[in-house]
Amino acid sequence: MDEPRVSIVLPFRNASQYLSECVNSIQDQTIGSWELIAVNDYSSDQSLQILNGFAKKDFRIKVYHSPGIGIVSALNHGLKCSKAQIIARMDADDLMEPKRLELQLGYLQQNQNLGLVSSLTEHFPKSDINRGYDLYVDWTNNILTHDEHFDHRFIDSTFAHPSATFRKCLIKKFGSYRDGDFPEDFELWLRWLQFGVKMEKIPQVLLKWRDHPKRASRNDSRYRIAAFQKIKAKYFHLWFLQKTSLHNRQIFCWGAGRVARKFSDYLIKKGIPISVFIDLDPNKIGTMIKGLPIIGIEDLPPPTTCFVLILVGVRGARKKVSDFLSGRGYVLGKDFIALS
């Protein structure tokens, strides 16, 4: 039998409620040259039985058992067991649109300079409870080009993990998923982008992304704000070290609230030479934080003399700050960047 064109890596744990629907969406793909690498992460429900049932009827479906506990171990074992040179990620509670694999494989074939391609996603089910996810999905769906992914990379993951399809050679060159106190996918994207991997997004919904109370991003401690801030600080510092043109500029932090102050702690510990804070609150302007002055926007100097880190934690504030800076002649990526 010929090797599959794509290996779909799907870790699963106690996903019996959604697994059949998920696998059906994979079997409905418009191309048939795929293998599903389903890795059991110590399920205690009927998930394993469901996957074994599918595997008995479809030779393309292969079930493995993770050698360790947790999604990182399951993902890396799935990558190790995969045969194709292209990897498509999938989660057990999500759904593929029928042309996902066809379009993403075609896109990588047509764009040999790209290492990874994702897509727009549709968030479901809709409810008032998950309004935050709606806003996040809307944000990711407006980030398409590689430059946009790169410029927004420190804010959050710019695409849904199970929407990603990438070249397996990236694993050998730049390393696989890492286990630690951080979201494993976000760390991987930051690392690959740091190494210059090109990423783009097909402007079409190819993944239906399910939200539910047991979703890892709602319950796993690796998704708390502090975990994101620490991993952002690490990779921003690595990028900053390479940007020698910034080393003779003052580093300004926009935001002096609780979230921004905590984030600045991590940045300072990494060696980022923050010298000034900016805030709109008249009660803060003229005071000090960590021995550093807080100024108002009227005291913001020309962009050639400083580099601004946007650390504001209030929803909607980031765009307002970005628009203000752009209006003052600051250029994203050159004179300022958003980290929250």
Side-chain angles (χ1 to χ4, degrees):
M1 177 185 127
D2 294 335
E3 287 192 358
R5 293 178 61 193
V6 57
S7 296
I8 305 160
V9 175
L10 185 149
F12 66 93
R13 175 190 284 181
N14 297 340
S16 59
Q17 183 178 354
Y18 310 114
L19 258 177
S20 294
E21 192 178 7
C22 172
V23 177
N24 285 333
S25 76
I26 295 172
Q27 292 179 314
D28 288 340
Q29 292 298 294
T30 53
I31 65 167
S33 181
W34 50 262
E35 64 172 356
L36 174 58
I37 306 296
V39 184
N40 180 27
D41 183 19
Y42 297 87
S43 295
S44 58
D45 64 358
Q46 296 299 306
S47 296
L48 181 58
Q49 290 87 334
I50 291 171
L51 259 304
N52 283 335
F54 275 103
K56 288 179 181 178
K57 299 176 182 178
D58 191 334
F59 69 91
R60 299 171 298 180
I61 299 174
K62 301 160 186 177
V63 182
Y64 298 89
H65 297 275
S66 179
I69 297 175
I71 189 171
V72 172
S73 177
L75 284 168
N76 287 334
H77 189 63
L79 292 171
K80 183 179 179 181
C81 296
S82 63
K83 294 181 179 179
Q85 295 307 304
I86 301 294
I87 303 294
R89 270 288 289 114
M90 189 58 179
D91 282 341
D93 45 6
D94 299 324
L95 304 174
M96 286 187 183
E97 289 294 325
K99 298 189 74 172
R100 176 195 167 176
L101 296 181
E102 176 187 345
L103 292 176
Q104 290 189 325
L105 285 171
Y107 201 84
L108 287 174
Q109 186 174 9
Q110 293 165 15
N111 299 275
Q112 292 295 320
N113 64 315
L114 290 184
L116 181 152
V117 62
S118 64
S119 72
L120 306 189
T121 60
E122 180 182 314
H123 177 225
F124 78 106
K126 301 289 184 180
S127 75
D128 292 337
I129 297 176
N130 52 26
R131 177 59 180 157
Y133 258 95
D134 287 337
L135 294 172
Y136 171 66
V137 170
D138 288 344
W139 175 73
T140 63
N141 282 347
N142 282 286
I143 298 171
L144 302 176
T145 68
H146 172 71
D147 287 344
E148 290 169 340
H149 283 285
F150 191 78
D151 287 340
H152 294 84
R153 68 195 183 283
F154 294 121
I155 298 172
D156 205 332
S157 178
T158 52
F159 49 86
H161 192 183
S163 73
T165 296
F166 54 84
R167 302 185 194 277
K168 191 177 182 179
C169 62
L170 297 179
I171 300 294
K172 296 179 181 178
K173 288 182 179 179
F174 309 121
S176 189
Y177 294 94
R178 291 177 178 170
D179 212 345
D181 186 25
F182 45 75
E184 79 289 337
D185 55 335
F186 189 40
E187 190 278 336
L188 188 68
W189 314 144
L190 288 175
R191 180 164 21 110
W192 285 1
L193 286 166
Q194 178 68 23
F195 280 117
V197 175
K198 302 294 183 183
M199 303 179 181
E200 288 188 6
K201 191 178 295 173
I202 296 174
Q204 184 173 335
V205 174
L206 299 178
L207 179 82
K208 290 187 176 180
W209 203 22
R210 192 191 306 267
D211 185 29
H212 54 84
K214 294 183 179 180
R215 192 177 191 91
S217 57
R218 290 188 178 277
N219 300 283
D220 197 316
S221 64
R222 296 175 305 155
Y223 287 83
R224 70 194 192 284
I225 292 176
F228 273 94
Q229 289 181 339
K230 289 177 183 178
I231 200 66
K232 291 178 190 180
K234 173 183 176 179
Y235 281 98
F236 174 76
H237 178 243
L238 291 174
W239 177 76
F240 180 80
L241 290 176
Q242 295 178 335
K243 299 290 287 186
T244 55
S245 61
L246 300 181
H247 295 178
N248 60 351
R249 294 200 204 179
Q250 285 189 300
I251 305 300
F252 286 24
C253 285
W254 191 307
R258 181 179 58 83
V259 174
R261 293 197 307 271
K262 188 61 180 177
F263 202 165
S264 68
D265 284 340
Y266 298 129
L267 292 167
I268 292 170
K269 287 178 181 178
K270 284 294 182 182
I272 303 301
I274 296 170
S275 57
V276 177
F277 286 85
I278 307 168
D279 205 87
L280 302 179
D281 187 346
N283 294 320
K284 295 177 182 175
I285 295 171
T287 63
M288 308 279 282
I289 294 179
K290 312 176 195 304
L292 301 174
I294 303 176
I295 66 171
I297 59 175
E298 65 277 2
D299 295 321
L300 187 67
T304 55
T305 62
C306 69
F307 187 84
V308 178
L309 310 181
I310 302 177
L311 304 184
V312 289
V314 178
R315 180 172 289 170
R318 179 179 64 244
K319 185 179 186 307
K320 292 180 181 179
V321 174
S322 296
D323 290 345
F324 175 85
L325 290 172
S326 297
R328 286 288 189 95
Y330 284 70
V331 177
L332 178 61
K334 178 183 177 183
D335 304 309
F336 76 95
I337 198 163
L339 280 77
S340 65

